[in-house]
Amino acid sequence: MSQEKENRSSLLLITEPKDLDKLFDTGRSLEQDICFPNNTSRHSTSSTMLDKPEKEIKRKSSNSSIDLNALALFKEIQIHTPQPKHYYSTDQKQQLLSLYGDNSRDDTIQQFPTLPHRQPEDRFNYYHLDTGCIKAQTLSDLSHPHLTLKELLLKENYWIDITCPSNEEMKAISKLFHIHPLTTEDIMSHEIREKCDVFRHYMFVCYRAFVHDNHQLRPVTFYNIVTKRHILTFHFDHVPHVRHVQQRVNQLQDYIEVVPDWINYAIMDEITDSFAPIIQQIESEVDSIDDLVLLYKSDQSDMVLRIGTCRKKVIQMVRLLGTKVEVVRGLMKRIEERTIEQELLNDMIAKIYPDVALYLGDVQDHILTMLQNLNHYETVLARSESNYLARISIELTQTSNSTNHVIGRLTIFATVLLPMNLVTGLWGMNVKVPGKDYDNLIYFFWIVLSLAVFAILSLTFAKRLKLI
């Protein structure tokens, strides 16, 4: 093995720069490497599909969507994945409250006490309208009383939610569902950039939610792989959105056609709506701060801290919502392109729900409205902060002027008392002074009277000059 590496290194050293591309020639075209079929193959495929019978098309699509032989890999995987964190209270009597919003809709969440030896969580969640929700610790443990795992995977319009997959599990899942290595790399590296990528057989959507962690909002990214027949979601924390979407599907299954694209929309819509309570709380806080700044009471010592904390929340919300518009817009464009393509091919297998693009437009409108509100809140907070600091500056200036006025008065009084102190000091010296030979107090009263007259004249003169 080491000799082979040395041969490669020496070969790289002696190869001309213009011929380096030949060393890495894998025999694949560029479009195949990035999972985009070229135009000629697409046209040829479409013409072939139009000629083939419907059963053969269905068989081929089912065979190309998953590789059932990869199920054997899951039996060899040892379960050593670290358990995801729970962001719930360990005390059942304590209500779960957050600094950024009220979690009243999660009152029915089971409380998880912290135990040193807790049983492993059910990290794989299979959902279908026919079977309901099936939970298991690994994918191979998914079972139904009347269906095997292979039969579950051959169904259409099912949803598999996976929490904290290990590297071995991710490799097996990638082989089972034909997931591109770039997608696998983004999931396992916890890619934080929100995006919508299109591959040959699926769309890959990164969409960020959040969890409450010690009175803070911590981002959690959902990685959605949307195909024509199923949807896979990956995340690395326990979040309530999965349960909410399943409840929503159960309520609307009689009125809509539940397809993978609609489930993907429901997840994105649930994540987007989870920001609404926090933004409403920010709005109330902004209104309160604005009113208090206008009233301005002297006991508002924590106002700067309140404004700074609220601006921090606004910036965090803008950071979480800012890139979602581009993701939703890109997803709408891809879905419209796929819908047009399927209409041209007259493909009736796993047809995309036609109104998903309209629903995504509604999500986009919600995001834009939230961003506009957040920008308005940021403007109001900036104005309130500047007004409050201006009020403080004016108050400090007034206090300084008042202090200077008092000091000026004290200076005038000191100036008046200084010559009086000099006169009394002269009469207190142990030398010959006028009036020492008299036993009466005539000199004393004349001295006191002269000092009083001097003080009165000096203060009157200072007042005429408006010095006091």
Side-chain angles (χ1 to χ4, degrees):
M1 190 70 178
S2 60
Q3 184 177 2
E4 184 179 355
K5 292 182 178 179
E6 292 178 358
N7 293 336
R8 291 181 179 177
S9 301
S10 60
L11 186 59
L12 284 172
L13 293 175
I14 63 176
T15 305
E16 295 292 333
K18 62 180 181 178
D19 298 329
L20 285 176
D21 293 338
K22 298 179 181 180
L23 297 178
F24 303 98
D25 186 13
T26 58
R28 295 183 300 177
S29 63
L30 178 61
E31 294 185 353
Q32 289 177 339
D33 186 57
I34 62 174
C35 286
F36 276 98
N38 52 29
N39 296 331
T40 56
S41 62
R42 181 182 298 177
H43 291 310
S44 60
T45 304
S46 58
S47 60
T48 306
M49 290 181 66
L50 290 175
D51 297 336
K52 289 184 177 182
E54 183 178 353
K55 293 183 179 180
E56 186 176 356
I57 295 176
K58 186 174 182 180
R59 180 181 58 83
K60 183 175 180 180
S61 62
S62 63
N63 292 335
S64 61
S65 60
I66 59 175
D67 183 9
L68 296 178
N69 296 326
L71 290 175
L73 299 175
F74 289 92
K75 299 180 180 179
E76 303 174 358
I77 298 176
Q78 296 182 357
I79 303 174
H80 53 80
T81 306
Q83 295 299 321
K85 297 180 180 179
H86 292 276
Y87 299 97
Y88 311 120
S89 173
T90 56
D91 187 3
Q92 294 184 359
K93 298 181 180 180
Q94 181 180 359
Q95 185 181 4
L96 179 61
L97 295 177
S98 170
L99 180 64
Y100 297 104
D102 185 10
N103 296 335
S104 58
R105 64 183 299 178
D106 296 332
D107 294 338
T108 58
I109 298 178
Q110 181 182 0
Q111 305 295 332
F112 292 88
T114 304
L115 299 177
H117 301 288
R118 188 177 58 193
Q119 294 296 328
E121 300 291 338
D122 293 331
R123 298 179 296 110
F124 287 78
N125 192 334
Y126 178 94
Y127 183 81
H128 192 273
L129 294 178
D130 298 337
T131 62
C133 182
I134 303 175
K135 297 182 179 181
Q137 185 179 350
T138 62
L139 184 63
S140 58
D141 294 337
L142 292 174
S143 61
H144 189 266
H146 306 291
L147 298 173
T148 62
L149 177 59
K150 292 183 178 181
E151 292 175 342
L152 292 175
L153 296 179
L154 289 177
K155 282 181 167 291
E156 294 183 359
N157 302 330
Y158 62 85
W159 173 20
I160 298 181
D161 179 75
I162 304 169
T163 305
C164 295
S166 63
N167 292 328
E168 293 79 6
E169 289 174 336
M170 197 64 212
K171 290 179 182 178
I173 293 172
S174 300
K175 186 174 182 181
L176 176 63
F177 294 100
H178 300 291
I179 301 176
H180 195 275
L182 291 177
T183 304
T184 305
E185 180 183 359
D186 287 343
I187 295 175
M188 297 311 297
S189 62
H190 297 202
E191 174 66 37
I192 62 174
R193 186 174 68 88
E194 295 181 297
K195 60 182 179 178
C196 175
D197 293 339
V198 179
F199 292 86
R200 180 177 298 177
H201 301 296
Y202 62 88
M203 289 189 299
F204 178 57
V205 180
C206 296
Y207 207 74
R208 283 195 300 177
F210 63 88
V211 293
H212 298 271
D213 184 10
N214 295 328
H215 303 286
Q216 297 291 332
L217 295 183
R218 190 168 63 83
V220 175
T221 306
F222 268 76
Y223 305 97
N224 301 344
I225 297 178
V226 186
T227 68
K228 295 181 180 181
R229 302 175 59 85
H230 56 263
I231 176 173
L232 306 177
T233 58
F234 301 85
H235 49 87
F236 292 87
D237 281 296
H238 281 294
V239 290
H241 307 298
V242 176
R243 187 183 73 256
H244 296 161
V245 172
Q246 292 176 357
Q247 294 175 356
R248 183 176 180 181
V249 172
N250 290 332
Q251 294 174 358
L252 301 178
Q253 60 180 336
D254 297 333
Y255 307 99
I256 62 173
E257 182 182 357
V258 181
V259 293
D261 289 274
W262 192 91
I263 296 177
N264 178 61
Y265 146 75
I267 295 173
M268 299 174 67
D269 185 54
E270 172 64 28
I271 294 174
T272 303
D273 290 343
S274 64
F275 289 89
I278 303 178
I279 294 180
Q280 290 177 359
Q281 184 180 9
I282 292 176
E283 181 180 4
S284 301
E285 181 71 9
V286 169
D287 292 339
S288 176
I289 290 174
D290 194 22
D291 294 339
L292 290 176
V293 168
L294 292 177
L295 295 175
Y296 188 72
K297 298 180 180 179
S298 58
D299 58 347
Q300 298 175 358
S301 58
D302 61 339
M303 182 57 65
V304 176
L305 179 61
R306 289 183 62 181
I307 294 176
T309 304
C310 192
R311 294 188 75 174
K312 181 180 178 181
K313 298 178 189 178
V314 172
I315 292 173
Q316 194 169 22
M317 288 293 100
V318 172
R319 176 172 169 265
L320 290 173
L321 288 170
T323 56
K324 285 180 169 54
V325 178
E326 297 298 328
V327 176
V328 175
R329 186 180 294 117
L331 187 59
M332 291 170 59
K333 181 180 178 181
R334 304 303 182 188
I335 288 180
E336 290 176 359
E337 292 176 354
R338 287 174 55 182
T339 305
I340 295 174
E341 181 180 355
Q342 287 185 354
E343 289 177 354
L344 293 176
L345 295 177
N346 196 18
D347 187 5
M348 300 303 295
I349 304 172
K351 185 177 180 180
I352 296 179
Y353 193 63
D355 291 337
V356 169
L358 299 178
Y359 288 122
L360 289 174
D362 181 67
V363 175
Q364 183 180 4
D365 293 339
H366 288 177
I367 297 173
L368 291 175
T369 303
M370 292 179 184
L371 288 175
Q372 291 174 358
N373 292 337
L374 290 173
N375 292 331
H376 172 69
Y377 302 152
E378 174 64 23
T379 304
V380 173
L381 289 173
R383 185 196 65 191
S384 300
E385 185 174 10
S386 62
N387 291 343
Y388 181 74
L389 295 178
R391 288 286 187 90
I392 292 179
S393 178
I394 294 173
E395 188 180 56
L396 292 177
T397 303
Q398 292 175 349
T399 304
S400 178
N401 293 337
S402 174
T403 303
N404 293 337
H405 188 62
V406 172
I407 292 176
R409 288 186 174 184
L410 293 176
T411 304
I412 296 299
F413 284 118
T415 305
V416 173
L417 292 175
L418 181 61
M420 300 168 61
N421 190 19
L422 178 62
V423 172
T424 55
L426 290 175
W427 254 258
M429 297 175 63
N430 191 16
V431 295
K432 188 76 173 178
V433 293
K436 187 177 181 181
D437 298 332
Y438 295 92
D439 293 335
N440 52 31
L441 298 176
I442 296 176
Y443 271 88
F444 173 76
F445 286 113
W446 277 107
I447 292 172
V448 173
L449 181 61
S450 63
L451 292 178
V453 171
F454 174 77
I456 293 172
L457 293 176
S458 299
L459 293 177
T460 303
F461 182 72
K463 189 172 183 180
R464 284 181 177 274
L465 295 178
K466 297 182 179 180
L467 295 179
I468 57 176

